[in-house]
Amino acid sequence: MRAYKPKDDVQAKAYYTDRFYVAPQVPKSSVEEDEIFANDLAVIKAKFEVKDAYIQVEQMVIHINANDIYGVLELMRDELAYTQLSEMSAIDWLAKDDTFEIFYQMLSMTKRKRIRVKYFIKNGQAVDSVEKLFRSADWSEREMFDMFGIEANNHPFMKRILLPYDWQGNPLLKTYPLEGDEFAAWYEVDKIYGKEARDIIGPELRDTAHVDRYDSERFARLGHEVPKGTEITGDEPAVSASYQEEGGVFLVKKLDKESSIVIDDPQR
Amino acid sequence: MAQHKVNYTQNGGLPIALTSVDKIVNWGRSNSLWALTYGLACCGIEMMASGASRYDFDRFGTIFRASPRQADVMIVAGTLTKKHAEFIKRLYDQMTEPRWVISMGSCANTGGMFNTYATVQGVDRIIPVDLYLPGCAPRPETLQYGVMLLQQKIRANKAGNAQKAKRLM
């Protein structure tokens, strides 16, 4: 069994570093290269401040101010024919500069174009809900709240969507341990049996491949089973498994392999 | 003319079989194990296949019931999430005694590949388990063999004695 490490302060110590290969950015090209995008950008720029705009993998990306999001999406929906919000969520950049990146993936079926609208908010700041514009934002914003703890103002039902309502912590934050913090580790035990049951039930066994050959309480060696709690010496006799007990079973006919019919035609 | 197989010359001419209370009760219990459908994930598909015509669970007396009050054995087939843990406990409590639990597949046994914050690391943290079936997912044959083993376990019980309530705590 793996040693149990207390997880009380695990979220206080952010472990996030770029541990893996960080892929270089896909090359960005100018918006002027695409006529439709250039036109869309000009319409948006006429009303709102656009901090940055470029084309990446045939999609236009625009960076805007956080409080403009409702207006920008409304303009895009009503005047630029971007009628679908296909995805929205957040990216945790807390370790880098204490911000979240919020992105909205817009699709225009008539123009066959996609635009990604982005902005950054500080940690703890709320965003404006776009649920009134796109019904798809309803659950997306709830999921964002669930996973990152970012609240959406004017959302009709700002509650967790996937995790239970009494959950603590936001699992998609990079500081959240994959195997759960102290709260998550004892969640079901605390809720069903109460905190005093922790000692009886014990911590979670996280090493699922762990097999102790000498533990006959929790493991059995196939073909050499012994009664629970027997001390294992290594010379356990082979146990042949049979469906029925030696003496036969009351009113149940014992299977005789010799006289039973084996149907080997798969097309029977 | 009606043909029947009762041999009136046996047992003093009476069509009877003598047995003990233990045996007849255990025979009844072990051969009518009604299972609570508890398909939580992909193991549930294998559980359904066991009940369908090719594997035909009915010939073991195992008939799936949709209500815990009519079920004797709970086959936990799939990944148990922490959000769902309280409901499995509630359904287990609603089953009448004697009751048994089969934990089917790696996820139900130990959490399996879901070594994450949201998965219960083995249903035996919530309810007592009689039988663990390995596999990801176990084939219907495994489940049927598991039910046979459970039948053996039931037959080994003394039916006359009051069933010792299996509780985690």
Side-chain angles (χ1 to χ4, degrees):
Chain A
M1 200 186 292
R2 245 177 228 167
Y4 176 69
K5 290 193 203 99
K7 301 186 185 73
D8 297 315
D9 57 342
V10 72
Q11 286 196 66
K13 295 181 276 183
Y15 68 86
Y16 174 69
T17 45
D18 286 323
R19 290 175 295 169
F20 308 109
Y21 172 68
V22 180
Q25 283 270 304
V26 177
K28 298 169 183 173
S29 52
S30 164
V31 180
E32 306 307 317
E33 288 175 12
D34 191 294
E35 199 182 318
I36 299 171
F37 280 151
N39 186 38
D40 291 343
L41 184 62
V43 174
I44 296 168
K45 266 187 171 168
K47 285 190 175 172
F48 299 98
E49 187 195 346
V50 175
K51 288 174 169 172
D52 194 9
Y54 47 85
I55 292 178
Q56 227 175 0
V57 204
E58 297 173 12
Q59 295 182 20
M60 182 162 78
V61 182
I62 59 172
H63 290 239
I64 59 166
N65 284 319
N67 45 7
D68 287 342
I69 183 63
Y70 191 92
V72 169
L73 292 201
E74 193 175 32
L75 176 77
M76 284 171 72
R77 186 190 69 170
D78 296 340
E79 291 175 32
L80 300 177
Y82 286 89
T83 49
Q84 288 186 25
L85 173 68
S86 51
E87 194 189 351
M88 66 146 298
S89 192
I91 299 168
D92 173 358
W93 293 115
L94 293 179
K96 204 176 87 188
D97 49 6
D98 203 34
T99 56
F100 286 108
E101 175 183 326
I102 319 286
F103 64 90
Y104 299 76
Q105 185 76 16
M106 308 295 297
L107 168 65
S108 169
M109 298 291 274
T110 49
K111 293 178 178 171
R112 287 184 284 171
K113 291 284 181 194
R114 288 177 196 272
I115 293 182
R116 186 154 57 248
V117 182
K118 282 184 177 187
Y119 59 86
F120 290 88
I121 57 165
K122 280 283 168 199
N123 189 11
Q125 203 180 328
V127 301
D128 286 337
S129 170
V130 293
E131 190 269 340
K132 296 282 178 297
L133 297 173
F134 299 98
R135 287 289 287 124
S136 69
D138 184 350
W139 284 12
S140 298
E141 280 167 357
R142 280 179 68 187
E143 190 186 353
M144 189 168 77
F145 172 67
D146 198 355
M147 292 293 156
F148 294 97
I150 303 167
E151 286 182 50
N153 293 333
N154 303 323
H155 190 282
F157 191 67
M158 191 79 273
K159 281 194 154 193
R160 287 184 184 274
I161 188 167
L162 295 170
L163 290 161
Y165 289 157
D166 57 351
W167 192 266
Q168 291 171 17
N170 304 99
L172 231 53
L173 295 178
K174 288 191 196 298
T175 49
Y176 196 89
L178 175 65
E179 296 179 0
D181 54 8
E182 187 77 9
F183 173 82
W186 294 105
Y187 175 76
E188 76 277 22
V189 174
D190 286 357
K191 189 164 188 186
I192 297 170
Y193 295 108
K195 275 199 165 120
E196 59 276 13
R198 286 186 181 193
D199 292 338
I200 303 164
I201 294 172
E204 291 176 324
L205 180 64
R206 284 290 180 176
D207 191 353
T208 50
H210 172 84
V211 174
D212 187 352
R213 171 138 163 35
Y214 296 96
D215 179 2
S216 66
E217 286 281 343
R218 289 167 47 243
F219 300 99
R221 190 173 159 213
L222 275 184
H224 298 268
E225 290 90 351
V226 290
K228 201 175 180 182
T230 312
E231 201 159 315
I232 305 286
T233 51
D235 52 351
E236 278 67 38
V239 181
S240 65
S242 67
Y243 165 43
Q244 283 186 355
E245 297 86 337
E246 273 306 304
V249 180
F250 176 63
L251 285 184
V252 178
K253 206 174 150 191
K254 180 137 180 142
L255 174 75
D256 180 17
K257 275 188 185 165
E258 302 300 313
S259 63
S260 61
I261 304 159
V262 177
I263 303 166
D264 50 8
D265 176 17
Q267 302 301 321
R268 70 184 188 273
Chain B
M1 205 167 113
Q3 295 215 341
H4 49 81
K5 298 246 171 100
V6 179
N7 183 359
Y8 288 110
T9 58
Q10 239 179 17
N11 300 324
L14 291 170
I16 55 162
L18 291 177
T19 184
S20 61
V21 174
D22 272 356
K23 278 193 177 171
I24 188 87
V25 170
N26 283 338
W27 165 77
R29 280 180 181 164
S30 67
N31 287 298
S32 63
L33 275 175
W34 287 9
L36 174 64
T37 45
Y38 219 115
L40 290 168
C42 28
C43 284
I45 306 296
E46 299 295 304
M47 188 179 71
M48 287 175 228
S50 319
S53 54
R54 191 176 186 92
Y55 293 96
D56 195 13
F57 234 156
D58 294 4
R59 63 202 160 104
F60 297 94
T62 298
I63 299 163
F64 286 104
R65 307 302 298 178
S67 164
R69 299 182 196 280
Q70 299 169 356
D72 305 301
V73 55
M74 178 191 255
I75 300 174
V76 186
T79 319
L80 180 66
T81 57
K82 298 207 175 193
K83 191 178 183 179
H84 194 81
E86 59 173 315
F87 307 122
I88 205 170
K89 172 70 176 144
R90 190 185 300 169
L91 287 166
Y92 178 77
D93 288 344
Q94 284 176 355
M95 286 165 70
T96 48
E97 284 177 0
R99 55 194 171 191
W100 296 274
V101 176
I102 294 177
S103 159
M104 180 182 179
S106 299
C107 294
N109 293 342
T110 65
M113 60 188 269
F114 298 104
N115 196 1
T116 66
Y117 61 90
T119 308
V120 176
Q121 303 295 303
V123 287
D124 51 4
R125 288 177 66 75
I126 307 298
I127 51 177
V129 174
D130 291 280
L131 205 70
Y132 300 85
L133 301 181
C136 182
R139 284 189 55 85
E141 291 94 327
T142 314
L143 180 57
Q144 290 187 332
Y145 183 62
V147 168
M148 287 175 172
L149 287 179
L150 185 64
Q151 288 180 338
Q152 278 191 17
K153 183 175 177 175
I154 293 166
R155 285 197 291 258
N157 276 343
K158 281 261 178 253
N161 298 353
Q163 274 271 320
K164 206 175 147 193
K166 283 170 292 188
R167 295 214 169 74
L168 210 56
M169 314 177 40

